[in-house]
Amino acid sequence: MQPDVVFVAGVSPGELLDRLGAVRATTGPRVREQARLSAASPWAACRPMVRAGRCGDGWSYATQEGGDPQFGRPEVLRRLSRGTRVVRLTKQACEVLLTVVEDGEERPGAAHRVESPREDYVTGPDGQPLLGPGGQQWQRIGVDPWPGSTAAYARLLAGPVAEYGIVWDPAADGDEPLASALLLPVLDDLSPERHPVSSVRDVDLAGLVDRTPPERLRSAMAAQLARLASETGADAHPEIARALERTLRNEPVDLPADGALDLRMRTLAAETRAARGLLDAARRGADPAPVTGADLAAWAVRDSAAGALREFLLLPLPDAAATVLNRRLSARWRDDLAADLAG
């Protein structure tokens, strides 16, 4: 079965991997089977694995060979299509969907769907299944029996994809060593449209916002954020500690894509995902996991604190305040809040 694939105009395979968030220490040429074995190994730590190559004049492509799906995420497509065009093929049930994104904006009129029913069923002249003894449906040997098959990709490549000058043979792709890497996934977008939170853990947040001067409220929430980072251990990371120091001094904090703070937040999210994945795999197998539930809880609260800092930097203060207060761990957090508001 073919993996999901994205085609990107005007970038090299190496730049394509960088835009996806490749971990440089994991880069190397891999055929598809090697990539899938790597993605399934403990070394991968549940991170996505991708391969990238060239496919026509000025086009590069990437296939995902393992890990949580990335090519359908708007955050990923926005990075891939920055200043260029992306053509994406993804499987959806028994269809293959082609979408086009240009500089972060999807072009709905360019979308195509190709139905891909099971390729191995034998049908008669009337298109109905042929049945064998006992009513069992006849099947061919040596073909792809799964929806979203190679045949559906080939039908798309013969039409809409070829119109863009893309030259790609899905049947031959797997045997060619291509540049590949594990990814440090980009973080989910923060939704700008949220329902206002009026109460957090029996605290009248709406009233607190209304009666507290904005400067005092911001100072108190920065202190609450620092307390949250301290009780979760997130402030042990220097990138987060420096950001917290600046927020406490009411100084601006930059959070550029692929900057040190962004990479730390993404790493904490990836570590949490890895711990959860290892525990889930151990429940299905006979070998014990190399991590415990307590390990997962520790990673999760650090990731949670980093997420609260990100919201504090990017969202309106009332929205960020709801998250910070909701994630405090100390039983004395209400007393802390009163002290922080008192200044």
Side-chain angles (χ1 to χ4, degrees), residues 1 90-97 113-118 146-149 152:
M1 183 174 63
T90 53
K91 295 179 291 295
Q92 292 188 347
C94 62
E95 295 178 322
V96 174
L97 172 66
R113 295 179 185 272
V114 175
E115 187 176 358
S116 178
R118 289 177 64 101
W146 193 257
S149 65

PDB file of all heavy atoms in Angstrom, residues 1 90-97 113-118 146-149 152:
ATOM      1  N   MET A   1       0.840  -1.200   0.000  1.00  0.00           N
ATOM      2  CA  MET A   1       0.000   0.000   0.000  1.00  0.00           C
ATOM      3  C   MET A   1       0.873   1.247   0.000  1.00  0.00           C
ATOM      4  O   MET A   1       1.847   1.336   0.740  1.00  0.00           O
ATOM      5  CB  MET A   1      -0.893   0.011   1.238  1.00  0.00           C
ATOM      6  CG  MET A   1      -1.856   1.188   1.299  1.00  0.00           C
ATOM      7  SD  MET A   1      -2.986   1.049   2.681  1.00  0.00           S
ATOM      8  CE  MET A   1      -1.848   1.126   4.063  1.00  0.00           C
ATOM      9  N   THR A  90      -3.570  11.969  -0.337  1.00  0.00           N
ATOM     10  CA  THR A  90      -3.837  11.268   0.921  1.00  0.00           C
ATOM     11  C   THR A  90      -4.983  10.292   0.723  1.00  0.00           C
ATOM     12  O   THR A  90      -5.851  10.480  -0.126  1.00  0.00           O
ATOM     13  CB  THR A  90      -4.215  12.244   2.047  1.00  0.00           C
ATOM     14  OG1 THR A  90      -5.288  13.091   1.609  1.00  0.00           O
ATOM     15  CG2 THR A  90      -3.039  13.114   2.451  1.00  0.00           C
ATOM     16  N   LYS A  91      -4.965   9.243   1.539  1.00  0.00           N
ATOM     17  CA  LYS A  91      -6.026   8.238   1.495  1.00  0.00           C
ATOM     18  C   LYS A  91      -7.135   8.628   2.459  1.00  0.00           C
ATOM     19  O   LYS A  91      -6.877   9.041   3.582  1.00  0.00           O
ATOM     20  CB  LYS A  91      -5.478   6.859   1.869  1.00  0.00           C
ATOM     21  CG  LYS A  91      -4.468   6.330   0.869  1.00  0.00           C
ATOM     22  CD  LYS A  91      -3.929   4.974   1.280  1.00  0.00           C
ATOM     23  CE  LYS A  91      -3.050   5.082   2.518  1.00  0.00           C
ATOM     24  NZ  LYS A  91      -1.822   5.863   2.265  1.00  0.00           N
ATOM     25  N   GLN A  92      -8.361   8.503   2.000  1.00  0.00           N
ATOM     26  CA  GLN A  92      -9.529   8.727   2.842  1.00  0.00           C
ATOM     27  C   GLN A  92     -10.519   7.608   2.555  1.00  0.00           C
ATOM     28  O   GLN A  92     -11.173   7.615   1.518  1.00  0.00           O
ATOM     29  CB  GLN A  92     -10.161  10.089   2.575  1.00  0.00           C
ATOM     30  CG  GLN A  92      -9.302  11.262   3.020  1.00  0.00           C
ATOM     31  CD  GLN A  92     -10.034  12.582   2.922  1.00  0.00           C
ATOM     32  OE1 GLN A  92     -11.089  12.683   2.312  1.00  0.00           O
ATOM     33  NE2 GLN A  92      -9.475  13.615   3.524  1.00  0.00           N
ATOM     34  N   ALA A  93     -10.589   6.650   3.499  1.00  0.00           N
ATOM     35  CA  ALA A  93     -11.468   5.487   3.318  1.00  0.00           C
ATOM     36  C   ALA A  93     -11.115   4.817   1.997  1.00  0.00           C
ATOM     37  O   ALA A  93      -9.967   4.441   1.782  1.00  0.00           O
ATOM     38  CB  ALA A  93     -12.927   5.908   3.392  1.00  0.00           C
ATOM     39  N   CYS A  94     -12.091   4.681   1.091  1.00  0.00           N
ATOM     40  CA  CYS A  94     -11.816   3.984  -0.162  1.00  0.00           C
ATOM     41  C   CYS A  94     -11.477   4.952  -1.286  1.00  0.00           C
ATOM     42  O   CYS A  94     -11.632   4.633  -2.462  1.00  0.00           O
ATOM     43  CB  CYS A  94     -13.017   3.132  -0.565  1.00  0.00           C
ATOM     44  SG  CYS A  94     -14.513   4.076  -0.869  1.00  0.00           S
ATOM     45  N   GLU A  95     -11.016   6.153  -0.947  1.00  0.00           N
ATOM     46  CA  GLU A  95     -10.668   7.139  -1.953  1.00  0.00           C
ATOM     47  C   GLU A  95      -9.238   7.623  -1.756  1.00  0.00           C
ATOM     48  O   GLU A  95      -8.684   7.530  -0.660  1.00  0.00           O
ATOM     49  CB  GLU A  95     -11.592   8.357  -1.864  1.00  0.00           C
ATOM     50  CG  GLU A  95     -13.042   8.075  -2.189  1.00  0.00           C
ATOM     51  CD  GLU A  95     -13.882   9.332  -2.032  1.00  0.00           C
ATOM     52  OE1 GLU A  95     -13.618  10.112  -1.103  1.00  0.00           O
ATOM     53  OE2 GLU A  95     -14.799   9.517  -2.832  1.00  0.00           O
ATOM     54  N   VAL A  96      -8.678   8.131  -2.824  1.00  0.00           N
ATOM     55  CA  VAL A  96      -7.459   8.920  -2.745  1.00  0.00           C
ATOM     56  C   VAL A  96      -7.847  10.360  -3.079  1.00  0.00           C
ATOM     57  O   VAL A  96      -8.522  10.620  -4.071  1.00  0.00           O
ATOM     58  CB  VAL A  96      -6.389   8.417  -3.732  1.00  0.00           C
ATOM     59  CG1 VAL A  96      -5.189   9.356  -3.723  1.00  0.00           C
ATOM     60  CG2 VAL A  96      -5.942   7.012  -3.345  1.00  0.00           C
ATOM     61  N   LEU A  97      -7.436  11.291  -2.209  1.00  0.00           N
ATOM     62  CA  LEU A  97      -7.798  12.696  -2.360  1.00  0.00           C
ATOM     63  C   LEU A  97      -6.575  13.500  -2.764  1.00  0.00           C
ATOM     64  O   LEU A  97      -5.512  13.389  -2.147  1.00  0.00           O
ATOM     65  CB  LEU A  97      -8.361  13.231  -1.042  1.00  0.00           C
ATOM     66  CG  LEU A  97      -8.628  14.741  -0.969  1.00  0.00           C
ATOM     67  CD1 LEU A  97      -9.740  15.114  -1.947  1.00  0.00           C
ATOM     68  CD2 LEU A  97      -8.990  15.144   0.448  1.00  0.00           C
ATOM     69  N   ARG A 113     -10.890  13.636  -6.389  1.00  0.00           N
ATOM     70  CA  ARG A 113     -11.033  12.372  -5.663  1.00  0.00           C
ATOM     71  C   ARG A 113     -11.037  11.223  -6.666  1.00  0.00           C
ATOM     72  O   ARG A 113     -11.645  11.332  -7.728  1.00  0.00           O
ATOM     73  CB  ARG A 113     -12.329  12.327  -4.846  1.00  0.00           C
ATOM     74  CG  ARG A 113     -12.380  13.347  -3.726  1.00  0.00           C
ATOM     75  CD  ARG A 113     -13.709  13.256  -2.970  1.00  0.00           C
ATOM     76  NE  ARG A 113     -13.823  14.297  -1.976  1.00  0.00           N
ATOM     77  CZ  ARG A 113     -13.390  14.189  -0.734  1.00  0.00           C
ATOM     78  NH1 ARG A 113     -12.820  13.062  -0.335  1.00  0.00           N
ATOM     79  NH2 ARG A 113     -13.522  15.181   0.125  1.00  0.00           N
ATOM     80  N   VAL A 114     -10.362  10.148  -6.322  1.00  0.00           N
ATOM     81  CA  VAL A 114     -10.371   8.936  -7.142  1.00  0.00           C
ATOM     82  C   VAL A 114     -10.785   7.779  -6.256  1.00  0.00           C
ATOM     83  O   VAL A 114     -10.124   7.483  -5.264  1.00  0.00           O
ATOM     84  CB  VAL A 114      -8.982   8.661  -7.762  1.00  0.00           C
ATOM     85  CG1 VAL A 114      -8.996   7.326  -8.499  1.00  0.00           C
ATOM     86  CG2 VAL A 114      -8.602   9.784  -8.712  1.00  0.00           C
ATOM     87  N   GLU A 115     -11.897   7.170  -6.603  1.00  0.00           N
ATOM     88  CA  GLU A 115     -12.361   6.035  -5.813  1.00  0.00           C
ATOM     89  C   GLU A 115     -11.458   4.832  -6.060  1.00  0.00           C
ATOM     90  O   GLU A 115     -11.037   4.573  -7.190  1.00  0.00           O
ATOM     91  CB  GLU A 115     -13.802   5.675  -6.172  1.00  0.00           C
ATOM     92  CG  GLU A 115     -14.371   4.602  -5.258  1.00  0.00           C
ATOM     93  CD  GLU A 115     -15.832   4.321  -5.556  1.00  0.00           C
ATOM     94  OE1 GLU A 115     -16.396   4.997  -6.442  1.00  0.00           O
ATOM     95  OE2 GLU A 115     -16.393   3.428  -4.911  1.00  0.00           O
ATOM     96  N   SER A 116     -11.157   4.117  -5.005  1.00  0.00           N
ATOM     97  CA  SER A 116     -10.260   2.971  -5.113  1.00  0.00           C
ATOM     98  C   SER A 116     -10.842   1.796  -4.331  1.00  0.00           C
ATOM     99  O   SER A 116     -10.442   1.521  -3.207  1.00  0.00           O
ATOM    100  CB  SER A 116      -8.875   3.322  -4.567  1.00  0.00           C
ATOM    101  OG  SER A 116      -8.031   2.202  -4.641  1.00  0.00           O
ATOM    102  N   PRO A 117     -11.795   1.097  -4.899  1.00  0.00           N
ATOM    103  CA  PRO A 117     -12.311  -0.082  -4.211  1.00  0.00           C
ATOM    104  C   PRO A 117     -11.252  -1.169  -4.160  1.00  0.00           C
ATOM    105  O   PRO A 117     -10.182  -1.045  -4.766  1.00  0.00           O
ATOM    106  CB  PRO A 117     -13.498  -0.504  -5.075  1.00  0.00           C
ATOM    107  CG  PRO A 117     -13.159   0.012  -6.435  1.00  0.00           C
ATOM    108  CD  PRO A 117     -12.406   1.289  -6.218  1.00  0.00           C
ATOM    109  N   ARG A 118     -11.529  -2.223  -3.460  1.00  0.00           N
ATOM    110  CA  ARG A 118     -10.551  -3.315  -3.344  1.00  0.00           C
ATOM    111  C   ARG A 118     -10.149  -3.805  -4.729  1.00  0.00           C
ATOM    112  O   ARG A 118     -10.978  -4.164  -5.556  1.00  0.00           O
ATOM    113  CB  ARG A 118     -11.129  -4.459  -2.518  1.00  0.00           C
ATOM    114  CG  ARG A 118     -11.260  -4.124  -1.038  1.00  0.00           C
ATOM    115  CD  ARG A 118     -11.897  -5.281  -0.289  1.00  0.00           C
ATOM    116  NE  ARG A 118     -11.041  -6.468  -0.322  1.00  0.00           N
ATOM    117  CZ  ARG A 118     -10.265  -6.844   0.688  1.00  0.00           C
ATOM    118  NH1 ARG A 118     -10.217  -6.124   1.781  1.00  0.00           N
ATOM    119  NH2 ARG A 118      -9.531  -7.932   0.609  1.00  0.00           N
ATOM    120  N   TRP A 146      -6.127  -3.347  -0.742  1.00  0.00           N
ATOM    121  CA  TRP A 146      -6.551  -2.346   0.239  1.00  0.00           C
ATOM    122  C   TRP A 146      -7.008  -1.073  -0.447  1.00  0.00           C
ATOM    123  O   TRP A 146      -6.409  -0.634  -1.422  1.00  0.00           O
ATOM    124  CB  TRP A 146      -5.389  -2.025   1.179  1.00  0.00           C
ATOM    125  CG  TRP A 146      -5.805  -1.269   2.388  1.00  0.00           C
ATOM    126  CD1 TRP A 146      -5.634   0.069   2.627  1.00  0.00           C
ATOM    127  CD2 TRP A 146      -6.480  -1.785   3.528  1.00  0.00           C
ATOM    128  NE1 TRP A 146      -6.144   0.410   3.841  1.00  0.00           N
ATOM    129  CE2 TRP A 146      -6.676  -0.709   4.418  1.00  0.00           C
ATOM    130  CE3 TRP A 146      -6.946  -3.048   3.894  1.00  0.00           C
ATOM    131  CZ2 TRP A 146      -7.315  -0.862   5.645  1.00  0.00           C
ATOM    132  CZ3 TRP A 146      -7.571  -3.201   5.114  1.00  0.00           C
ATOM    133  CH2 TRP A 146      -7.750  -2.124   5.973  1.00  0.00           C
ATOM    134  N   PRO A 147      -8.055  -0.415   0.052  1.00  0.00           N
ATOM    135  CA  PRO A 147      -8.431   0.884  -0.517  1.00  0.00           C
ATOM    136  C   PRO A 147      -7.272   1.865  -0.443  1.00  0.00           C
ATOM    137  O   PRO A 147      -6.460   1.832   0.466  1.00  0.00           O
ATOM    138  CB  PRO A 147      -9.592   1.321   0.371  1.00  0.00           C
ATOM    139  CG  PRO A 147     -10.141   0.047   0.928  1.00  0.00           C
ATOM    140  CD  PRO A 147      -8.959  -0.854   1.109  1.00  0.00           C
ATOM    141  N   GLY A 148      -7.212   2.790  -1.397  1.00  0.00           N
ATOM    142  CA  GLY A 148      -6.098   3.707  -1.473  1.00  0.00           C
ATOM    143  C   GLY A 148      -4.887   3.033  -2.056  1.00  0.00           C
ATOM    144  O   GLY A 148      -3.766   3.237  -1.631  1.00  0.00           O
ATOM    145  N   SER A 149      -5.067   2.212  -3.040  1.00  0.00           N
ATOM    146  CA  SER A 149      -4.004   1.354  -3.556  1.00  0.00           C
ATOM    147  C   SER A 149      -3.128   2.084  -4.558  1.00  0.00           C
ATOM    148  O   SER A 149      -3.378   3.211  -4.966  1.00  0.00           O
ATOM    149  CB  SER A 149      -4.623   0.144  -4.246  1.00  0.00           C
ATOM    150  OG  SER A 149      -5.338   0.570  -5.389  1.00  0.00           O
ATOM    151  N   ALA A 152      -4.903   3.432  -7.632  1.00  0.00           N
ATOM    152  CA  ALA A 152      -5.562   4.733  -7.522  1.00  0.00           C
ATOM    153  C   ALA A 152      -4.556   5.867  -7.663  1.00  0.00           C
ATOM    154  O   ALA A 152      -4.832   6.897  -8.293  1.00  0.00           O
ATOM    155  CB  ALA A 152      -6.293   4.841  -6.190  1.00  0.00           C
TER     156      ALA A 152
END
